[in-house]
C-alpha cells in the first residue's frame, strides 16, 4: 500500500519562482488536505478538498492555490514563492466522517521540504 | 475558536523512565482527540484517538492517553520510554463532521537519554 505519496520530497526555489507540489492517494479517500509545518507552530491547514472538483480555504491560504481535478490527486501551487513559504508541507487524506472504528482518520504523506531563498 | 496547547516544547527523559506529555484543548462541543508522532524526516503517524466511551484509550507502541473533560486535557503517557520513542508528538482536536479539519498543537519534542 502506497497510501499518500508526495512529490517532490525536497525543493529549493528562488523568490518569485513558481512550483507545484503533488499529492497522490490510493485509498479512495474523498477528503484531502494540505498542511504546512513550521517550528513551534505545529501543523496549519492551508487548503482542503471535500471531493473531486472542490476546494476550500483553511487557516493559512494566502499565497497558495490548489486543484483537485482527479479524486486521487491534490495539487498545491505557489505562483510566486516567498521566503515566508519556506516550510515542510504535508498532504493528508481521509474519508468524510470520523467513526468510532477510527478507520477514517487522517493519513499523512512523508512531507515535502521547500526552501525559498 | 478551537485550539490546542502543548505547554512543553521539549522534554527529556531517561530510557526506562515514565513519560507524560500534556495537551489542553479549547473546543465548543465534544471533541475528537488525537495524538500523532513524527519521527525525524517522516510523516505523522497516528498513536491513538478518543471519540467517546472509556476515557482511557490505548494506542500503539505502548502509549495511552486519558481524556479529562473537566480539565479539557488529553495527556499522553507511557510507563517506560524506549530510545526509539524519541520524536515529536502532536496533539490534535477535530470535529466529527464535515471534513475532519484537525487543529494541531505546536508539538512536543521528546529526547531520550540513555
Amino acid at each position: 500500500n502506497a497510501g499518500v505519496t508526495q512529490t517532490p520530497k525536497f525543493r529549493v526555489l528562488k523568490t518569485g519562482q513558481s512550483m507545484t507540489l503533488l499529492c497522490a492517494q490510493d485509498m479512495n479517500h474523498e477528503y484531502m488536505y494540505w498542511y504546512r509545518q513550521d517550528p513551534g507552530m505545529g501543523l496549519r491547514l492551508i487548503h482542503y478538498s471535500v471531493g473531486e472538483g472542490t476546494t476550500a480555504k483553511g487557516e493559512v491560504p494566502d499565497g497558495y492555490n490548489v486543484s483537485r481535478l482527479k479524486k486521487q490527486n491534490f495539487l498545491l501551487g505557489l505562483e510566486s514563492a516567498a521566503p515566508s513559504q519556506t516550510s515542510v508541507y504535508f498532504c493528508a487524506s481521509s474519508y468524510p466522517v470520523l467513526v468510532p472504528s477510527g478507520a477514517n482518520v487522517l493519513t499523512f504523506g512523508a512531507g515535502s521540504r521547500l526552501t525559498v531563498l | 475558536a478551537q485550539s490546542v496547547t502543548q505547554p512543553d516544547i521539549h522534554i527529556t527523559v531517561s530510557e526506562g523512565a515514565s513519560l507524560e506529555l500534556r495537551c489542553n484543548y479549547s473546543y465548543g462541543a465534544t471533541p475528537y482527540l488525537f495524538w500523532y508522532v513524527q519521527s525525524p524526516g517522516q510523516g505523522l503517524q497516528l498513536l491513538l484517538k478518543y471519540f467517546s466511551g472509556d476515557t482511557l484509550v490505548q494506542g500503539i507502541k505502548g502509549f495511552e492517553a486519558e481524556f479529562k473533560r473537566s480539565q479539557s486535557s488529553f495527556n499522553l503517557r507511557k510507563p517506560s520510554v524506549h530510545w526509539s520513542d524519541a520524536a515529536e508528538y502532536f496533539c490534535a482536536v477535530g470535529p466529527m463532521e464535515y471534513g475532519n479539519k484537525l487543529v494541531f498543537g505546536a508539538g512536543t519534542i521528546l529526547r531520550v537519554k540513555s
Side-chain angles (χ1 to χ4, degrees), chain B residues 27-103:
Chain B
Y27 197 74
T30 299
Y32 284 178
L33 295 156
F34 307 82
W35 275 99
Y36 282 84
V37 61
Q38 183 183 28
S39 298
Q42 304 297 314
L44 279 74
Q45 180 184 21
L46 180 69
L47 275 178
L48 48 79
K49 58 196 178 293
Y50 172 76
F51 292 155
S52 65
D54 192 347
T55 57
L56 183 64
V57 293
Q58 303 297 322
I60 62 172
K61 304 183 180 185
F63 285 91
E64 66 178 26
E66 186 172 12
F67 170 57
K68 293 185 177 180
R69 185 187 301 275
S70 62
Q71 299 177 18
S72 296
S73 69
F74 189 56
N75 294 348
L76 181 71
R77 301 194 293 250
K78 187 171 185 178
S80 177
V81 169
H82 187 263
W83 64 266
S84 61
D85 293 324
E88 188 163 16
Y89 293 80
F90 294 94
C91 181
V93 62
M96 181 182 76
E97 59 279 326
Y98 198 62
N100 303 353
K101 296 191 304 293
L102 298 187
V103 174

Side-chain angles (χ1 to χ4, degrees), chain A residues 31 33 35 37 40-43 45 48 50 90 94-106 108-111, chain B residues 32 34 36 38 41-46 49 51-52 88 90 94-107:
Chain A
Y31 287 12
Y33 317 78
Y35 285 88
Q37 182 184 27
M41 304 188 74
L43 279 77
L45 184 64
Y48 64 100
V50 301
F90 285 98
S94 76
Y95 292 114
V97 177
L98 291 165
V99 295
S101 69
N104 52 349
V105 296
L106 294 183
F108 283 86
Chain B
Y32 284 178
F34 307 82
Y36 282 84
Q38 183 183 28
Q42 304 297 314
L44 279 74
Q45 180 184 21
L46 180 69
K49 58 196 178 293
F51 292 155
S52 65
E88 188 163 16
F90 294 94
M96 181 182 76
E97 59 279 326
Y98 198 62
N100 303 353
K101 296 191 304 293
L102 298 187
V103 174
F104 286 82

Side-chain angles (χ1 to χ4, degrees), chain A residues 27-65:
Chain A
M27 297 169 287
N28 203 34
H29 284 166
E30 287 291 333
Y31 287 12
M32 297 186 74
Y33 317 78
W34 277 107
Y35 285 88
R36 60 177 289 172
Q37 182 184 27
D38 302 291
M41 304 188 74
L43 279 77
R44 293 179 291 167
L45 184 64
I46 304 171
H47 286 280
Y48 64 100
S49 167
V50 301
E52 183 178 320
T54 70
T55 63
K57 294 180 180 179
E59 181 185 356
V60 289
D62 294 341
Y64 304 95
N65 56 76

